[in-house]
Amino acid sequence: MDIGALYAQHLSTLQQRVETALARSGHDHLLIAAGVPKYHFLDDRDYPFAINPHFLQWVPLPQHSHGWIVLTPGRRPVLVYHQPADYWHVAPSAPDGFWVEHFDIHVIREPKQASAFLPKQGRIAIIGEADAALDGYTPDNPQKLLDYLHYHRAFKTGYELHCLREASRIAARGHLAAAAAFREGASEYAINRAYLGATGQNDVNVPYGNIVALNEHAAVLHYQYQDIEAPAQSRSFLIDAGARCNGYSSDITRTWGNGDARFQALIDGVEAAQLALVEQVRDGRDYRDIHVDAHLRLADVLQQLGLVRMTPESQLESGISAVFFPHGIGHLLGLQVHDVAGFAASDEGGMIARPDGHPFLRLTRTLAPGMVVTIEPGLYFIDLLLRELRAGPHAGAVDWDAVEYLSQFGGVRIEDDVACTADAPENLTRDAFAAV
Ligand code: GLY
Ligand code: MN
Ligand code: MN
């Protein structure tokens, strides 16, 4: 099916969801404000624009500010499209693409002209940030309405899956270019340029700040710098970087060694665990159980490699596995990289708690077809956490010489984007690497 047909189905699903959500929250109209640019304090420079994801789900215009969508059950959606007369910047072009035919579009030159096209009567719900308020239209973000829309946003439409697959393919090209640059001994900065060039992105329109980490830097989970100088020796390379397609993101991590057999064994161990965990992305599986199983599998790798002399079960119980794997196994993925409603108990609200002792897990729901999640196990050598372990009662279970040796490589993370189906999981990321 072509993207136009997929998008038409997508819109009819969104329309149904909005109708139900409005009925539940007791409103006649839903307004969605795209959002407005934000400025630096006492300055006329704006921050990179981040659009209201609700707006983006309806129209694939990540850079569109000051726009409005008006949704009224039984009527065609209305789009108020801001196209300023601006000679300082490139003004948005006239609305164009597979999506335009589905909207009644009103082009405005000034943000304040939007109110002429917004409903004047009835009970109006407005989703948007506070700054988007215009005349009497102040975003109120009704909780009942958001609970419903956010809960269901976890179930991707065919159009959304199409975009997510493409986002993985774009990123896969970048990952291959980055790996080649690493093998040539490039700096983090140069590797990042290679990634951006191969994906056609700049530093601002990537879905999240690229993590490009050589050697010990791989131990910093969200390492945020890129050294201009290449290190004397590039022993290891961890890259966590994605791409966007029509506003939908990929989120992919790969780790590479440079010939060291012990580090390669660690990569191989994490990868085997990762593939086994991806297999568990199935209808009815509680994601919390995948997270706990990740601890057991990664602890098994630590035991097999002689790093920790303790069974996986006792490593989990004593908190040792969390020293080496101190984050969640993954999260929902979509318009936001850490997509909303990871803890939602139902479409009427409520929250599914994290398992005790796992404060960083971002998804606790039971998987069902249409959900897209990441599976991203890792093992790291993080000074701060290792020092606590060394000072504690379980220090004797650890081979500290091996830990010190492997610390020069920082750590390993392998992350794929995976769709739950009625049957076997669809690994968007591995499919993308195979295709490019
Ligand atoms: N890139 C952030 C994450 O993997 O969740
Ligand atoms: Mn992730
Ligand atoms: Mn990531």
Side-chain angles (χ1 to χ4, degrees):
M1 209 185 293
D2 75 1
I3 190 158
L6 287 169
Y7 177 76
Q9 285 184 355
H10 169 74
L11 277 199
S12 90
T13 300
L14 296 190
Q15 247 151 343
Q16 283 164 20
R17 287 180 191 168
V18 164
E19 278 188 33
T20 309
L22 287 171
R24 286 195 181 181
S25 65
H27 294 92
D28 305 308
H29 310 277
L30 172 61
L31 270 53
I32 303 175
V36 299
K38 306 277 186 302
Y39 290 85
H40 297 216
F41 183 53
L42 299 180
D43 204 335
D44 62 358
R45 285 190 305 143
D46 53 347
Y47 292 101
F49 178 67
I51 197 166
N52 178 351
H54 287 268
F55 190 94
L56 194 53
Q57 195 177 23
W58 284 80
V59 287
L61 300 174
Q63 292 308 317
H64 191 79
S65 58
H66 295 294
W68 293 79
I69 293 170
V70 182
L71 302 163
T72 307
R75 297 208 204 129
R76 254 162 80 80
V78 171
L79 172 66
V80 182
Y81 186 90
H82 181 230
Q83 190 185 26
D86 180 357
Y87 59 83
W88 293 93
H89 306 99
V90 175
S93 49
D96 186 30
F98 56 81
W99 55 275
V100 292
E101 66 184 88
H102 300 281
F103 289 85
D104 286 336
I105 299 180
H106 303 283
V107 174
I108 55 169
R109 299 290 177 213
E110 304 274 349
K112 62 179 184 319
Q113 293 169 344
S115 51
F117 304 102
L118 305 182
K120 300 287 170 289
Q121 281 165 359
R123 298 161 299 171
I124 301 172
I126 307 181
I127 299 180
E129 56 187 5
D131 298 13
L134 178 73
D135 298 337
Y137 299 94
T138 302
D140 57 348
N141 300 303
Q143 194 61 46
K144 268 191 178 175
L145 187 114
L146 287 182
D147 282 343
Y148 186 85
L149 295 179
H150 283 174
Y151 180 85
H152 289 281
R153 208 167 95 192
F155 307 106
K156 269 56 188 181
T157 64
Y159 163 78
E160 291 178 309
L161 287 167
H162 171 94
C163 297
L164 287 163
R165 287 185 192 107
E166 181 58 19
S168 256
R169 283 193 287 265
I170 298 167
R173 290 197 285 273
H175 276 267
L176 296 178
F182 162 66
R183 285 191 291 271
E184 288 163 13
S187 68
E188 292 167 349
Y189 180 85
I191 294 172
N192 189 46
R193 296 339 284 173
Y195 180 88
L196 295 173
T199 56
Q201 302 181 99
N202 61 32
D203 288 304
V204 171
N205 60 20
V206 289
Y208 56 93
N210 289 347
I211 298 166
V212 181
L214 292 172
N215 303 340
E216 290 87 348
H217 292 162
V220 183
L221 298 181
H222 284 174
Y223 174 66
Q224 72 272 45
Y225 301 120
Q226 284 136 25
D227 280 355
I228 304 267
E229 300 284 343
Q233 202 193 11
S234 292
R235 296 178 290 271
S236 63
F237 172 43
L238 183 153
I239 173 166
D240 184 344
R244 289 175 117 189
C245 171
N246 293 325
Y248 292 85
S249 296
S250 52
D251 178 9
I252 298 173
T253 308
R254 289 294 182 265
T255 306
W256 304 95
N258 196 7
D260 183 274
R262 289 169 76 185
F263 184 60
Q264 192 57 49
L266 190 72
I267 295 178
D268 294 345
V270 172
E271 173 142 46
Q274 197 262 357
L275 289 170
L277 294 163
V278 165
E279 270 306 302
Q280 299 177 29
V281 176
R282 285 176 188 262
D283 189 8
R285 178 80 168 150
D286 185 331
Y287 194 80
R288 292 175 297 182
D289 295 339
I290 301 183
H291 175 79
V292 171
D293 192 50
H295 272 269
L296 294 173
R297 287 176 186 275
L298 292 167
D300 185 55
V301 172
L302 293 172
Q303 190 187 28
Q304 296 296 327
L305 296 181
L307 284 159
V308 180
R309 292 175 291 265
M310 214 186 240
T311 64
E313 288 75 14
S314 1
Q315 286 189 53
L316 174 62
E317 207 166 305
S318 60
I320 292 186
S321 57
V323 170
F324 296 91
F325 173 49
H327 60 75
I329 187 59
H331 48 86
L332 290 169
L333 180 73
L335 291 160
Q336 289 160 247
V337 175
H338 298 153
D339 218 1
V340 288
F343 307 107
S346 78
D347 61 14
E348 295 178 305
M351 199 174 150
I352 306 170
R354 298 178 174 104
D356 279 343
H358 297 269
F360 299 114
L361 185 60
R362 290 189 171 96
L363 174 56
T364 55
R365 287 169 68 171
T366 294
L367 298 177
M371 285 183 169
V372 176
V373 301
T374 68
I375 294 290
E376 49 181 304
L379 288 172
Y380 313 85
F381 302 95
I382 301 171
D383 246 5
L384 181 81
L385 303 179
L386 290 170
R387 263 186 270 133
E388 286 170 21
L389 177 58
R390 201 160 190 164
H394 303 298
V398 176
D399 179 342
W400 291 103
D401 289 339
V403 165
E404 192 182 332
Y405 180 79
L406 286 169
S407 291
Q408 64 181 318
F409 304 97
V412 177
R413 175 164 68 256
I414 299 173
E415 175 176 28
D416 288 343
D417 305 342
V418 184
C420 180
T421 76
D423 195 358
E426 177 186 349
N427 190 322
L428 311 185
T429 301
R430 304 257 171 184
D431 291 352
F433 277 105
V436 301

